[in-house]
Amino acid sequence: MEQSRTRAPGVPAAGRPTRLTTQGVTARAPADPAPRGQTTGPPRRGRPAPGPAPQPWFATGSAAQPRSARGEHTHSEPSAPRVVPQRHSVRDQILQALRAALLSGELAPGEVYSAPALAERFGVSPTPVREAMQVLVSEGCVATVPNRGFRVARHNPRDLAELHEIRALLEVPVVLTLARTQPAERWEELRPLAEDTLQAAVCGDRGAYAETDRAFHRSLLELAGNAQLVALAEDVRRRASLSSSRQAPTRRTTDLLAEAADHLALLDALSDQDLPTVERLVRDHA
């Protein structure tokens, strides 16, 4: 396979995750009673009568009890299910790091990156990197290049305009409905999330701001009780955020502060049921 550009996000290489193995333990059920018609006979003279067979240390419940009398229906204790370790936590960590690298420009538009090269920098196997990259493919952030790796997508101003249009169509009607139906105290519950975006903006941390911004809007839309809407709107917002970073790769802290201030202003307008202001803020918010 042709080795593509191997520059990866500036994340310090971590140790390879310990491989976990889990073996299920099955309790042995007691032996079946003697077949019908067969007798064991009395014990021989001078020898003690045999007692119940000793149970293994891991047997519990009905499996550890003596055999039932003839004709009684018995059940053995079901064995514990085998626990299979999951890779999702590793994949999710890689996915978060890759998204941050896309936002910061460390993964440059148009460049091709191979999963093995990225995995070496992260100190993991290529599998979770490929899985994370496939998530980014579904989000339109990268594209698969056969036998090479993944190419970071380029976004033009038209892409950004279309995403903002879709976002407005999804969010504006929902938020206006919430403004008419939700009590004022409900919006105060979202104020800590809005303040988180402000704190990230003050620090100039674009990656943290993108995450806190999505958390605020996700919690806002969740009040509508439509999980599919929330997932779709979050996907569109993530794509728009990445596309926006391509158009303005050096966004200033003042720009982030202005966007974070919109969150607080939106909560004030929602509390006052100021519908024109609510619509303007939701429609114009980046």
Side-chain angles (χ1 to χ4, degrees):
M1 176 184 298
E2 179 183 352
Q3 181 68 26
S4 61
R5 176 170 178 167
T6 60
R7 183 169 63 85
V11 179
R16 296 184 180 273
T18 303
R19 185 178 301 276
L20 301 176
T21 58
T22 306
Q23 295 181 350
V25 178
T26 305
R28 179 176 299 173
D32 294 335
R36 185 179 301 276
Q38 178 179 341
T39 58
T40 57
R44 295 182 180 179
R45 186 181 304 275
R47 293 186 180 181
Q55 298 295 320
W57 65 269
F58 51 78
T60 58
S62 61
Q65 303 302 321
R67 287 178 291 183
S68 302
R70 184 183 305 276
E72 180 180 349
H73 186 66
T74 61
H75 295 279
S76 61
E77 185 77 9
S79 60
R82 182 185 179 97
V83 179
V84 180
Q86 300 294 325
R87 288 194 308 267
H88 294 303
S89 60
V90 178
R91 183 204 65 181
D92 292 344
Q93 292 176 33
I94 300 298
L95 180 59
Q96 183 177 0
L98 291 174
R99 282 174 174 162
L102 288 168
L103 285 172
S104 67
E106 288 185 82
L107 293 180
E111 296 294 336
V112 178
Y113 299 87
S114 71
L118 292 171
E120 184 177 356
R121 293 295 300 271
F122 283 124
V124 299
S125 69
T127 299
V129 176
R130 290 192 181 96
E131 292 174 348
M133 279 296 195
Q134 288 301 329
V135 175
L136 296 177
V137 169
S138 68
E139 296 175 354
C141 300
V142 300
T144 302
V145 181
N147 300 323
R148 294 187 61 191
F150 301 88
R151 176 179 284 111
V152 178
R154 298 181 182 274
H155 295 88
N156 55 48
R158 179 59 184 171
D159 296 330
L160 181 59
E162 291 176 349
L163 289 169
H164 281 173
E165 181 180 357
I166 295 172
R167 183 186 58 78
L169 290 172
L170 288 172
E171 296 186 15
V172 170
V174 174
V175 178
L176 286 175
T177 300
L178 292 173
R180 298 185 185 98
T181 58
Q182 297 296 321
E185 56 268 20
R186 181 60 56 85
W187 308 120
E188 289 303 310
E189 297 173 2
L190 298 183
R191 194 166 293 274
L193 296 175
E195 292 171 349
D196 287 343
T197 66
L198 185 60
Q199 182 62 36
V202 169
C203 297
D205 189 337
R206 292 176 55 190
Y209 179 82
E211 291 300 321
T212 55
D213 178 69
R214 281 193 290 272
F216 172 81
H217 287 276
R218 180 173 59 249
S219 297
L220 174 62
L221 294 178
E222 282 176 346
L223 296 177
N226 189 326
Q228 299 302 319
L229 169 69
V230 173
L232 183 58
E234 188 170 18
D235 179 62
V236 173
R237 182 167 289 277
R238 180 179 287 111
R239 292 174 185 240
S241 177
L242 180 59
S243 180
S244 178
S245 69
R246 295 288 184 261
Q247 307 306 315
T250 57
R251 296 175 70 192
R252 298 172 299 177
T253 300
T254 53
D255 298 327
L256 299 180
L257 288 171
E259 292 180 12
D262 285 346
H263 295 149
L264 297 171
L266 176 60
L267 292 179
D268 292 338
L270 287 166
S271 297
D272 297 337
Q273 291 190 331
D274 184 353
L275 301 186
T277 301
V278 168
E279 181 174 0
R280 176 181 60 81
L281 288 171
V282 176
R283 191 178 299 278
D284 297 342
H285 185 68

mmCIF file of all heavy atoms in Angstrom, residues 226-265:
data_model
loop_
_atom_site.group_PDB
_atom_site.id
_atom_site.type_symbol
_atom_site.label_atom_id
_atom_site.label_comp_id
_atom_site.label_asym_id
_atom_site.label_seq_id
_atom_site.Cartn_x
_atom_site.Cartn_y
_atom_site.Cartn_z
ATOM 1 N N ASN A 226 -37.844 15.280 20.387
ATOM 2 C CA ASN A 226 -37.684 14.580 19.114
ATOM 3 C C ASN A 226 -36.219 14.211 18.946
ATOM 4 O O ASN A 226 -35.398 15.040 18.539
ATOM 5 C CB ASN A 226 -38.156 15.456 17.946
ATOM 6 C CG ASN A 226 -38.217 14.707 16.629
ATOM 7 O OD1 ASN A 226 -37.402 13.825 16.366
ATOM 8 N ND2 ASN A 226 -39.172 15.051 15.789
ATOM 9 N N ALA A 227 -35.874 12.955 19.256
ATOM 10 C CA ALA A 227 -34.478 12.523 19.226
ATOM 11 C C ALA A 227 -33.908 12.562 17.814
ATOM 12 O O ALA A 227 -32.719 12.864 17.618
ATOM 13 C CB ALA A 227 -34.346 11.122 19.806
ATOM 14 N N GLN A 228 -34.713 12.231 16.810
ATOM 15 C CA GLN A 228 -34.223 12.249 15.432
ATOM 16 C C GLN A 228 -33.884 13.670 14.988
ATOM 17 O O GLN A 228 -32.896 13.900 14.287
ATOM 18 C CB GLN A 228 -35.265 11.638 14.489
ATOM 19 C CG GLN A 228 -35.601 10.186 14.791
ATOM 20 C CD GLN A 228 -34.382 9.295 14.730
ATOM 21 O OE1 GLN A 228 -33.541 9.437 13.844
ATOM 22 N NE2 GLN A 228 -34.289 8.358 15.661
ATOM 23 N N LEU A 229 -34.698 14.609 15.387
ATOM 24 C CA LEU A 229 -34.416 16.007 15.067
ATOM 25 C C LEU A 229 -33.113 16.455 15.703
ATOM 26 O O LEU A 229 -32.283 17.126 15.057
ATOM 27 C CB LEU A 229 -35.567 16.893 15.558
ATOM 28 C CG LEU A 229 -35.302 18.405 15.535
ATOM 29 C CD1 LEU A 229 -35.230 18.910 14.104
ATOM 30 C CD2 LEU A 229 -36.383 19.145 16.313
ATOM 31 N N VAL A 230 -32.901 16.087 16.949
ATOM 32 C CA VAL A 230 -31.686 16.474 17.661
ATOM 33 C C VAL A 230 -30.455 15.923 16.947
ATOM 34 O O VAL A 230 -29.464 16.631 16.730
ATOM 35 C CB VAL A 230 -31.733 15.989 19.118
ATOM 36 C CG1 VAL A 230 -30.398 16.237 19.814
ATOM 37 C CG2 VAL A 230 -32.857 16.691 19.872
ATOM 38 N N ALA A 231 -30.498 14.638 16.565
ATOM 39 C CA ALA A 231 -29.350 14.009 15.901
ATOM 40 C C ALA A 231 -29.077 14.662 14.554
ATOM 41 O O ALA A 231 -27.917 14.922 14.197
ATOM 42 C CB ALA A 231 -29.604 12.515 15.729
ATOM 43 N N LEU A 232 -30.124 14.934 13.787
ATOM 44 C CA LEU A 232 -29.949 15.537 12.469
ATOM 45 C C LEU A 232 -29.412 16.956 12.577
ATOM 46 O O LEU A 232 -28.485 17.342 11.848
ATOM 47 C CB LEU A 232 -31.280 15.526 11.723
ATOM 48 C CG LEU A 232 -31.277 16.053 10.281
ATOM 49 C CD1 LEU A 232 -30.300 15.256 9.428
ATOM 50 C CD2 LEU A 232 -32.673 15.986 9.685
ATOM 51 N N ALA A 233 -29.973 17.743 13.501
ATOM 52 C CA ALA A 233 -29.518 19.122 13.669
ATOM 53 C C ALA A 233 -28.071 19.166 14.156
ATOM 54 O O ALA A 233 -27.290 20.036 13.728
ATOM 55 C CB ALA A 233 -30.432 19.856 14.642
ATOM 56 N N GLU A 234 -27.687 18.239 15.027
ATOM 57 C CA GLU A 234 -26.307 18.215 15.527
ATOM 58 C C GLU A 234 -25.332 17.868 14.411
ATOM 59 O O GLU A 234 -24.238 18.429 14.333
ATOM 60 C CB GLU A 234 -26.192 17.229 16.685
ATOM 61 C CG GLU A 234 -24.836 17.278 17.383
ATOM 62 C CD GLU A 234 -24.828 16.470 18.661
ATOM 63 O OE1 GLU A 234 -25.725 15.623 18.824
ATOM 64 O OE2 GLU A 234 -23.930 16.693 19.486
ATOM 65 N N ASP A 235 -25.714 16.953 13.534
ATOM 66 C CA ASP A 235 -24.858 16.598 12.408
ATOM 67 C C ASP A 235 -24.671 17.791 11.476
ATOM 68 O O ASP A 235 -23.549 18.084 11.037
ATOM 69 C CB ASP A 235 -25.464 15.418 11.647
ATOM 70 C CG ASP A 235 -24.627 15.012 10.444
ATOM 71 O OD1 ASP A 235 -23.468 14.617 10.629
ATOM 72 O OD2 ASP A 235 -25.137 15.120 9.312
ATOM 73 N N VAL A 236 -25.754 18.501 11.187
ATOM 74 C CA VAL A 236 -25.658 19.676 10.311
ATOM 75 C C VAL A 236 -24.794 20.754 10.964
ATOM 76 O O VAL A 236 -23.968 21.392 10.305
ATOM 77 C CB VAL A 236 -27.061 20.216 9.984
ATOM 78 C CG1 VAL A 236 -26.967 21.544 9.224
ATOM 79 C CG2 VAL A 236 -27.841 19.202 9.161
ATOM 80 N N ARG A 237 -24.969 20.958 12.254
ATOM 81 C CA ARG A 237 -24.188 21.990 12.946
ATOM 82 C C ARG A 237 -22.705 21.636 12.962
ATOM 83 O O ARG A 237 -21.845 22.516 12.808
ATOM 84 C CB ARG A 237 -24.721 22.155 14.374
ATOM 85 C CG ARG A 237 -24.006 23.230 15.168
ATOM 86 C CD ARG A 237 -24.771 23.564 16.430
ATOM 87 N NE ARG A 237 -26.002 24.279 16.098
ATOM 88 C CZ ARG A 237 -26.048 25.596 15.874
ATOM 89 N NH1 ARG A 237 -24.930 26.328 15.954
ATOM 90 N NH2 ARG A 237 -27.179 26.183 15.595
ATOM 91 N N ARG A 238 -22.377 20.354 13.130
ATOM 92 C CA ARG A 238 -20.974 19.951 13.120
ATOM 93 C C ARG A 238 -20.359 20.186 11.742
ATOM 94 O O ARG A 238 -19.236 20.676 11.619
ATOM 95 C CB ARG A 238 -20.832 18.482 13.515
ATOM 96 C CG ARG A 238 -19.390 17.991 13.534
ATOM 97 C CD ARG A 238 -19.285 16.552 13.955
ATOM 98 N NE ARG A 238 -19.537 16.385 15.375
ATOM 99 C CZ ARG A 238 -20.594 15.792 15.904
ATOM 100 N NH1 ARG A 238 -21.522 15.279 15.105
ATOM 101 N NH2 ARG A 238 -20.741 15.686 17.197
ATOM 102 N N ARG A 239 -21.093 19.852 10.693
ATOM 103 C CA ARG A 239 -20.589 20.083 9.342
ATOM 104 C C ARG A 239 -20.401 21.579 9.077
ATOM 105 O O ARG A 239 -19.417 21.990 8.478
ATOM 106 C CB ARG A 239 -21.560 19.502 8.322
ATOM 107 C CG ARG A 239 -21.654 17.981 8.309
ATOM 108 C CD ARG A 239 -22.762 17.523 7.370
ATOM 109 N NE ARG A 239 -22.965 16.094 7.416
ATOM 110 C CZ ARG A 239 -22.833 15.285 6.377
ATOM 111 N NH1 ARG A 239 -22.479 15.765 5.211
ATOM 112 N NH2 ARG A 239 -23.029 13.985 6.491
ATOM 113 N N ALA A 240 -21.355 22.377 9.529
ATOM 114 C CA ALA A 240 -21.258 23.821 9.320
ATOM 115 C C ALA A 240 -20.077 24.406 10.076
ATOM 116 O O ALA A 240 -19.391 25.303 9.582
ATOM 117 C CB ALA A 240 -22.552 24.494 9.747
ATOM 118 N N SER A 241 -19.834 23.897 11.284
ATOM 119 C CA SER A 241 -18.709 24.385 12.071
ATOM 120 C C SER A 241 -17.392 24.097 11.374
ATOM 121 O O SER A 241 -16.497 24.952 11.310
ATOM 122 C CB SER A 241 -18.731 23.746 13.456
ATOM 123 O OG SER A 241 -17.612 24.144 14.221
ATOM 124 N N LEU A 242 -17.252 22.887 10.831
ATOM 125 C CA LEU A 242 -16.026 22.539 10.106
ATOM 126 C C LEU A 242 -15.892 23.361 8.843
ATOM 127 O O LEU A 242 -14.817 23.864 8.517
ATOM 128 C CB LEU A 242 -16.025 21.051 9.775
ATOM 129 C CG LEU A 242 -14.803 20.535 9.016
ATOM 130 C CD1 LEU A 242 -13.532 20.786 9.808
ATOM 131 C CD2 LEU A 242 -14.956 19.056 8.697
ATOM 132 N N SER A 243 -16.989 23.533 8.105
ATOM 133 C CA SER A 243 -16.950 24.320 6.882
ATOM 134 C C SER A 243 -16.593 25.770 7.179
ATOM 135 O O SER A 243 -15.829 26.403 6.456
ATOM 136 C CB SER A 243 -18.301 24.241 6.163
ATOM 137 O OG SER A 243 -18.281 24.990 4.965
ATOM 138 N N SER A 244 -17.131 26.287 8.282
ATOM 139 C CA SER A 244 -16.826 27.662 8.669
ATOM 140 C C SER A 244 -15.350 27.832 9.000
ATOM 141 O O SER A 244 -14.736 28.846 8.673
ATOM 142 C CB SER A 244 -17.686 28.065 9.867
ATOM 143 O OG SER A 244 -17.391 29.368 10.287
ATOM 144 N N SER A 245 -14.772 26.821 9.653
ATOM 145 C CA SER A 245 -13.351 26.906 10.003
ATOM 146 C C SER A 245 -12.480 26.898 8.755
ATOM 147 O O SER A 245 -11.381 27.457 8.744
ATOM 148 C CB SER A 245 -12.960 25.748 10.918
ATOM 149 O OG SER A 245 -12.991 24.507 10.224
ATOM 150 N N ARG A 246 -12.966 26.284 7.669
ATOM 151 C CA ARG A 246 -12.217 26.294 6.415
ATOM 152 C C ARG A 246 -12.222 27.695 5.792
ATOM 153 O O ARG A 246 -11.253 28.109 5.165
ATOM 154 C CB ARG A 246 -12.840 25.300 5.424
ATOM 155 C CG ARG A 246 -12.743 23.852 5.863
ATOM 156 C CD ARG A 246 -11.322 23.349 5.742
ATOM 157 N NE ARG A 246 -11.239 21.939 6.067
ATOM 158 C CZ ARG A 246 -10.861 21.463 7.237
ATOM 159 N NH1 ARG A 246 -10.539 22.300 8.211
ATOM 160 N NH2 ARG A 246 -10.798 20.168 7.465
ATOM 161 N N GLN A 247 -13.346 28.415 5.961
ATOM 162 C CA GLN A 247 -13.439 29.752 5.387
ATOM 163 C C GLN A 247 -12.667 30.776 6.208
ATOM 164 O O GLN A 247 -12.151 31.744 5.667
ATOM 165 C CB GLN A 247 -14.915 30.174 5.296
ATOM 166 C CG GLN A 247 -15.805 29.177 4.570
ATOM 167 C CD GLN A 247 -15.276 28.829 3.197
ATOM 168 O OE1 GLN A 247 -14.866 29.704 2.438
ATOM 169 N NE2 GLN A 247 -15.285 27.548 2.871
ATOM 170 N N ALA A 248 -12.627 30.583 7.520
ATOM 171 C CA ALA A 248 -11.930 31.529 8.395
ATOM 172 C C ALA A 248 -11.049 30.752 9.359
ATOM 173 O O ALA A 248 -11.380 30.585 10.526
ATOM 174 C CB ALA A 248 -12.935 32.385 9.166
ATOM 175 N N PRO A 249 -9.904 30.233 8.870
ATOM 176 C CA PRO A 249 -9.069 29.375 9.705
ATOM 177 C C PRO A 249 -8.441 30.087 10.896
ATOM 178 O O PRO A 249 -7.944 29.440 11.809
ATOM 179 C CB PRO A 249 -7.994 28.880 8.724
ATOM 180 C CG PRO A 249 -7.971 29.897 7.640
ATOM 181 C CD PRO A 249 -9.358 30.413 7.512
ATOM 182 N N THR A 250 -8.450 31.421 10.892
ATOM 183 C CA THR A 250 -7.826 32.169 11.986
ATOM 184 C C THR A 250 -8.877 33.036 12.690
ATOM 185 O O THR A 250 -8.706 34.232 12.864
ATOM 186 C CB THR A 250 -6.679 33.050 11.459
ATOM 187 O OG1 THR A 250 -7.194 33.936 10.437
ATOM 188 C CG2 THR A 250 -5.568 32.210 10.885
ATOM 189 N N ARG A 251 -9.994 32.422 13.060
ATOM 190 C CA ARG A 251 -11.043 33.167 13.749
ATOM 191 C C ARG A 251 -10.508 33.749 15.051
ATOM 192 O O ARG A 251 -9.864 33.075 15.852
ATOM 193 C CB ARG A 251 -12.235 32.253 14.025
ATOM 194 C CG ARG A 251 -12.910 31.737 12.789
ATOM 195 C CD ARG A 251 -14.001 30.746 13.142
ATOM 196 N NE ARG A 251 -15.124 31.395 13.782
ATOM 197 C CZ ARG A 251 -16.105 30.739 14.389
ATOM 198 N NH1 ARG A 251 -16.070 29.423 14.463
ATOM 199 N NH2 ARG A 251 -17.107 31.394 14.938
ATOM 200 N N ARG A 252 -10.832 35.004 15.264
ATOM 201 C CA ARG A 252 -10.328 35.710 16.435
ATOM 202 C C ARG A 252 -11.177 35.376 17.665
ATOM 203 O O ARG A 252 -12.312 34.949 17.565
ATOM 204 C CB ARG A 252 -10.334 37.217 16.181
ATOM 205 C CG ARG A 252 -9.428 37.645 15.025
ATOM 206 C CD ARG A 252 -9.650 39.114 14.708
ATOM 207 N NE ARG A 252 -11.039 39.355 14.290
ATOM 208 C CZ ARG A 252 -11.525 40.573 14.012
ATOM 209 N NH1 ARG A 252 -10.737 41.632 14.137
ATOM 210 N NH2 ARG A 252 -12.785 40.710 13.633
ATOM 211 N N THR A 253 -10.589 35.631 18.829
ATOM 212 C CA THR A 253 -11.315 35.413 20.070
ATOM 213 C C THR A 253 -12.549 36.297 20.140
ATOM 214 O O THR A 253 -13.588 35.897 20.689
ATOM 215 C CB THR A 253 -10.399 35.697 21.272
ATOM 216 O OG1 THR A 253 -9.262 34.822 21.216
ATOM 217 C CG2 THR A 253 -11.128 35.487 22.588
ATOM 218 N N THR A 254 -12.464 37.504 19.570
ATOM 219 C CA THR A 254 -13.623 38.398 19.594
ATOM 220 C C THR A 254 -14.804 37.802 18.825
ATOM 221 O O THR A 254 -15.963 38.033 19.197
ATOM 222 C CB THR A 254 -13.251 39.763 18.994
ATOM 223 O OG1 THR A 254 -12.663 39.565 17.697
ATOM 224 C CG2 THR A 254 -12.260 40.500 19.886
ATOM 225 N N ASP A 255 -14.533 37.051 17.759
ATOM 226 C CA ASP A 255 -15.617 36.397 17.019
ATOM 227 C C ASP A 255 -16.301 35.340 17.880
ATOM 228 O O ASP A 255 -17.539 35.224 17.887
ATOM 229 C CB ASP A 255 -15.078 35.757 15.735
ATOM 230 C CG ASP A 255 -14.491 36.782 14.786
ATOM 231 O OD1 ASP A 255 -14.999 37.921 14.765
ATOM 232 O OD2 ASP A 255 -13.539 36.436 14.065
ATOM 233 N N LEU A 256 -15.508 34.554 18.599
ATOM 234 C CA LEU A 256 -16.078 33.537 19.475
ATOM 235 C C LEU A 256 -16.869 34.181 20.615
ATOM 236 O O LEU A 256 -17.935 33.675 21.003
ATOM 237 C CB LEU A 256 -14.966 32.652 20.047
ATOM 238 C CG LEU A 256 -14.136 31.860 19.045
ATOM 239 C CD1 LEU A 256 -13.078 31.021 19.770
ATOM 240 C CD2 LEU A 256 -15.000 30.970 18.175
ATOM 241 N N LEU A 257 -16.364 35.290 21.139
ATOM 242 C CA LEU A 257 -17.070 35.973 22.219
ATOM 243 C C LEU A 257 -18.427 36.488 21.757
ATOM 244 O O LEU A 257 -19.427 36.418 22.494
ATOM 245 C CB LEU A 257 -16.220 37.121 22.755
ATOM 246 C CG LEU A 257 -14.994 36.724 23.590
ATOM 247 C CD1 LEU A 257 -14.120 37.946 23.866
ATOM 248 C CD2 LEU A 257 -15.430 36.079 24.901
ATOM 249 N N ALA A 258 -18.482 36.991 20.520
ATOM 250 C CA ALA A 258 -19.750 37.495 19.986
ATOM 251 C C ALA A 258 -20.759 36.356 19.829
ATOM 252 O O ALA A 258 -21.949 36.514 20.132
ATOM 253 C CB ALA A 258 -19.509 38.197 18.653
ATOM 254 N N GLU A 259 -20.299 35.210 19.360
ATOM 255 C CA GLU A 259 -21.198 34.061 19.207
ATOM 256 C C GLU A 259 -21.676 33.551 20.565
ATOM 257 O O GLU A 259 -22.850 33.189 20.730
ATOM 258 C CB GLU A 259 -20.489 32.945 18.446
ATOM 259 C CG GLU A 259 -20.200 33.282 16.990
ATOM 260 C CD GLU A 259 -19.504 32.151 16.267
ATOM 261 O OE1 GLU A 259 -19.471 31.039 16.841
ATOM 262 O OE2 GLU A 259 -19.011 32.367 15.154
ATOM 263 N N ALA A 260 -20.768 33.505 21.543
ATOM 264 C CA ALA A 260 -21.152 33.053 22.876
ATOM 265 C C ALA A 260 -22.163 34.014 23.504
ATOM 266 O O ALA A 260 -23.093 33.583 24.207
ATOM 267 C CB ALA A 260 -19.918 32.932 23.764
ATOM 268 N N ALA A 261 -22.023 35.302 23.253
ATOM 269 C CA ALA A 261 -22.972 36.278 23.779
ATOM 270 C C ALA A 261 -24.365 36.054 23.195
ATOM 271 O O ALA A 261 -25.376 36.341 23.848
ATOM 272 C CB ALA A 261 -22.492 37.693 23.484
ATOM 273 N N ASP A 262 -24.433 35.541 21.961
ATOM 274 C CA ASP A 262 -25.730 35.236 21.349
ATOM 275 C C ASP A 262 -26.500 34.191 22.157
ATOM 276 O O ASP A 262 -27.733 34.229 22.213
ATOM 277 C CB ASP A 262 -25.541 34.732 19.914
ATOM 278 C CG ASP A 262 -25.198 35.854 18.952
ATOM 279 O OD1 ASP A 262 -25.356 37.034 19.323
ATOM 280 O OD2 ASP A 262 -24.775 35.548 17.813
ATOM 281 N N HIS A 263 -25.782 33.239 22.760
ATOM 282 C CA HIS A 263 -26.455 32.209 23.560
ATOM 283 C C HIS A 263 -27.177 32.847 24.753
ATOM 284 O O HIS A 263 -28.333 32.516 25.042
ATOM 285 C CB HIS A 263 -25.448 31.180 24.057
ATOM 286 C CG HIS A 263 -24.811 30.391 22.972
ATOM 287 N ND1 HIS A 263 -23.526 29.904 23.061
ATOM 288 C CD2 HIS A 263 -25.273 30.000 21.748
ATOM 289 C CE1 HIS A 263 -23.222 29.238 21.959
ATOM 290 N NE2 HIS A 263 -24.267 29.289 21.147
ATOM 291 N N LEU A 264 -26.492 33.749 25.447
ATOM 292 C CA LEU A 264 -27.101 34.409 26.595
ATOM 293 C C LEU A 264 -28.254 35.309 26.170
ATOM 294 O O LEU A 264 -29.293 35.357 26.844
ATOM 295 C CB LEU A 264 -26.030 35.206 27.344
ATOM 296 C CG LEU A 264 -24.895 34.371 27.952
ATOM 297 C CD1 LEU A 264 -23.777 35.264 28.468
ATOM 298 C CD2 LEU A 264 -25.422 33.487 29.073
ATOM 299 N N ALA A 265 -28.077 35.997 25.053
ATOM 300 C CA ALA A 265 -29.153 36.854 24.558
ATOM 301 C C ALA A 265 -30.362 36.029 24.137
ATOM 302 O O ALA A 265 -31.514 36.437 24.336
ATOM 303 C CB ALA A 265 -28.645 37.699 23.383
#
